[in-house]
Amino acid sequence: MTQGHPPAAGWPPPGNADPRYGAAPPPGQPTPWGPPPPAPKSRRGLWIGLAAGALALALCAGTAVGVGLGLRGDDEDGPAPKAAAGANGVTVTDAELAALLDRHSKALAAKDLDGYLAAFDPDRKDLIAGQTQLFRNLMKLPLSVARYEMLEKQGRVSDAFGQGVTFQLDVSFVHQLDGFDLAPVAEWYRWTIVRAGKDAPIRVVAVTGASAGGNGDSKTVYYPGPWDKWRDIHVERTAYALIITDAARADLAVRYALAVDRSVTDSLAVWRANAPPEPMTDKFVVTFAAGKDEMTSLYRIGTEKATEAGYSVGMVAAERKNGKATIGGTRIVVDTTDRYFTRSGGDNDARMVLRHEMAHSLMTLRTDLTAVDEFSKLDEWVVEGFAEYIAFSGRPLTASARTAPSLQLVRNGWNGKLPGNSDWDNPGMLTFHYWLGHTAMTHLADKHGEPKLFRFVEAVYAGTPTDRAARDVLGVSLDDFQAGWADYVRAQAG
């Protein structure tokens, strides 16, 4: 499974920006455990966590969401716009663009479709149809905040000879799902703007996702949302979740609603039983995808096809809090066609996948983003081991389908070491590494108690190096912990 954040130019993109938090490959082998499949290209196994990458993007190079980006188009006070202000000149000023976005925001708030469409070229029928569908989808969401803000423009905004101008404007859709997001978050669009002549109106002639930049695993910044991707969305609101799916598959949202709510209550029960600080939220946004193509293109456009069963995206807040970037909310996406979601025919496997992603989301919300450098180096065995521990909480280690093949690998000869982050690059061993992380958390809880397990994982997420977290929280060196855990693992193998 997976964990993720939003991007800004120069860093990897949302969810998959940091390679460690990229799209997750599948669980090494399906059940039954046969030979490993061809090596997936992305690093993480079954369900990672996308959060860190997008976060990195949002924090880099002074282009964080909510900080106000520089405009790369012509300076409206420079010589080109002044020349364009002549008798035949054409120009588009920042004030005009701000007014356009303000009208667009107000139309959305007023549920005024005609006003919302006024920004778009009426002759572009496909564009008008697409924006009409987007408007109707947005009307189905519990939006307490919804506004459009200017990020940056690219291209010539002025022409002194009256030839008209065409340029691109990156637009931030700042929004907050009421009761689910802790703070407003942002999705980035790229609008193509045209002014055909001096007295012509400003028209948007094309809309796509703004480029994330950098070398990450997503080409865009939280785009497309389900509201962009599907012609018609279905929104199922439960006591603990907002489930979003293609309206053509609304029956799945109804079918799995109870499983989603049970997954929330199961995860929170484990959390609260161990007296860590209260979770920052008990409600989650869950999107159902059908297949890996959809997994690759929800809240991101992946540079490689997804292979994971689910992922959790951490959304960086659109505005800083006390000068610091924070997580405003999370988005969980699961593939309802994946064998790990459907193999039993009931909802038990679905709940396992969901609990794993909720564990990522709960920890992501608590992450101190000032520790971004350390966060990008989190040990996989801690991140994924904790999520697996929560996924299987209350069930024996043998309940995991990873256990039997992993024990055989231990019997065949094993070095007794915790898997380092570079080890996760070996796709044929992902199942084993997930299991080793799971057993490390199980051993930690058995020896030191679940409250210390939570404190240890929180310390790591907060940027404390794992060896120091072991000393501070567990009272042992990481080497001593590893030695005791290796004995525990070998004992499981008989």
Side-chain angles (χ1 to χ4, degrees):
M1 303 176 192
T2 320
Q3 183 177 314
H5 301 248
W11 279 77
N16 289 338
D18 181 89
R20 286 192 1 82
Y21 289 84
Q29 302 101 336
T31 303
W33 301 85
K41 294 182 181 178
S42 54
R43 257 185 210 208
R44 313 241 359 209
L46 178 52
W47 310 291
I48 312 171
L50 298 172
L55 142 72
L57 280 173
L59 296 179
C60 79
T63 57
V65 176
V67 174
L69 302 184
L71 301 179
R72 292 201 301 232
D74 296 334
D75 180 356
E76 69 177 59
D77 295 322
K82 287 180 179 177
N88 297 317
V90 178
T91 191
V92 177
T93 67
D94 290 352
E96 288 178 303
L97 294 173
L100 176 72
L101 292 173
D102 183 58
R103 290 192 298 271
H104 197 59
S105 300
K106 288 178 178 177
L108 180 62
K111 302 181 179 181
D112 173 10
L113 175 59
D114 290 340
Y116 188 82
L117 296 177
F120 305 102
D121 184 348
D123 293 332
R124 310 268 177 154
K125 302 305 181 185
D126 289 346
L127 175 63
I128 294 297
Q131 292 301 309
T132 299
Q133 292 164 10
L134 173 58
F135 177 88
R136 289 173 176 161
N137 281 338
L138 292 177
M139 291 298 101
K140 298 179 182 181
L141 299 173
L143 292 167
S144 57
V145 173
R147 65 179 184 270
Y148 295 85
E149 297 181 348
M150 185 163 51
L151 291 172
E152 65 177 352
K153 56 194 177 189
Q154 300 172 1
R156 296 176 59 252
V157 299
S158 299
D159 185 276
F161 304 101
Q163 297 300 308
V165 294
T166 300
F167 61 94
Q168 293 180 322
L169 176 69
D170 286 356
V171 174
S172 174
F173 174 45
V174 179
H175 59 284
Q176 183 171 9
L177 296 174
D178 190 28
F180 297 91
D181 290 332
L182 303 178
V185 298
E187 175 187 10
W188 292 9
Y189 292 99
R190 177 160 291 172
W191 287 6
T192 300
I193 306 284
V194 168
R195 171 167 271 171
K198 180 176 175 61
D199 298 320
I202 300 170
R203 294 295 193 198
V204 181
V205 299
V207 176
T208 187
S211 174
N215 300 311
D217 294 337
S218 176
K219 301 174 184 177
T220 55
V221 183
Y222 294 146
Y223 171 92
W227 39 87
D228 305 294
K229 183 170 184 60
W230 292 318
R231 181 184 300 273
D232 185 19
I233 62 171
H234 173 78
V235 178
E236 187 80 13
R237 188 160 186 170
T238 72
Y240 297 101
L242 192 73
I243 304 172
I244 307 173
T245 191
D246 188 337
R249 300 193 300 272
D251 60 311
L252 287 177
V254 175
R255 174 184 169 187
Y256 284 112
L258 183 58
V260 172
D261 274 2
R262 284 178 173 171
S263 299
V264 177
T265 55
D266 289 348
S267 299
L268 294 180
V270 180
W271 192 285
R272 289 168 174 149
N274 293 288
E278 188 70 7
M280 300 174 73
T281 184
D282 62 355
K283 293 180 172 60
F284 299 85
V285 180
V286 180
T287 301
F288 286 169
K292 303 312 176 192
D293 287 340
E294 286 194 349
M295 288 285 289
T296 307
S297 55
L298 278 165
Y299 305 107
R300 60 179 180 173
I301 295 180
T303 57
E304 297 180 359
K305 188 171 181 177
T307 52
E308 64 268 48
Y311 57 83
S312 169
V313 182
M315 310 280 286
V316 174
E319 298 175 355
R320 292 176 180 268
K321 183 177 181 181
N322 300 323
K324 295 170 57 177
T326 61
I327 297 295
T330 66
R331 304 286 183 264
I332 292 172
V333 182
V334 293
D335 177 7
T336 58
T337 71
D338 191 279
R339 62 188 177 277
Y340 281 90
F341 203 83
T342 62
R343 60 186 171 178
S344 69
D347 72 0
N348 191 56
D349 290 312
R351 287 165 62 188
M352 180 191 71
V353 175
L354 289 161
R355 286 196 299 267
H356 184 115
E357 298 312 326
M358 288 170 184
H360 283 315
S361 292
L362 286 166
M363 279 300 176
T364 296
L365 287 169
R366 307 186 65 80
T367 303
D368 182 356
L369 299 188
T370 58
V372 60
D373 290 339
E374 292 83 358
F375 182 71
S376 67
K377 300 171 187 173
L378 285 183
D379 282 327
E380 295 276 11
W381 69 267
V382 177
V383 173
E384 293 307 329
F386 178 75
E388 286 286 89
Y389 182 86
I390 297 298
F392 288 95
S393 179
R395 302 170 68 191
L397 193 61
T398 53
S400 170
R402 304 179 193 277
T403 297
S406 295
L407 288 176
Q408 189 58 52
L409 288 174
V410 173
R411 296 185 191 105
N412 290 345
W414 166 60
N415 63 10
K417 302 292 185 182
L418 291 162
N421 286 353
S422 62
D423 295 327
W424 294 75
D425 289 332
N426 183 346
M429 297 296 286
L430 281 172
T431 285
F432 187 45
H433 294 153
Y434 268 93
W435 185 80
L436 291 177
H438 186 179
T439 58
M441 295 297 118
T442 302
H443 171 64
L444 194 162
D446 288 349
K447 185 170 181 60
H448 300 279
E450 279 193 330
K452 283 195 174 181
L453 164 64
F454 277 81
R455 285 175 52 204
F456 170 77
V457 175
E458 280 200 292
V460 172
Y461 265 81
T464 304
T466 306
D467 55 351
R468 197 174 82 205
R471 292 194 302 273
D472 292 350
V473 178
L474 307 180
V476 298
S477 70
L478 187 59
D479 286 344
D480 287 343
F481 171 80
Q482 180 174 249
W485 161 75
D487 290 341
Y488 165 81
V489 169
R490 291 189 172 105
Q492 301 300 309

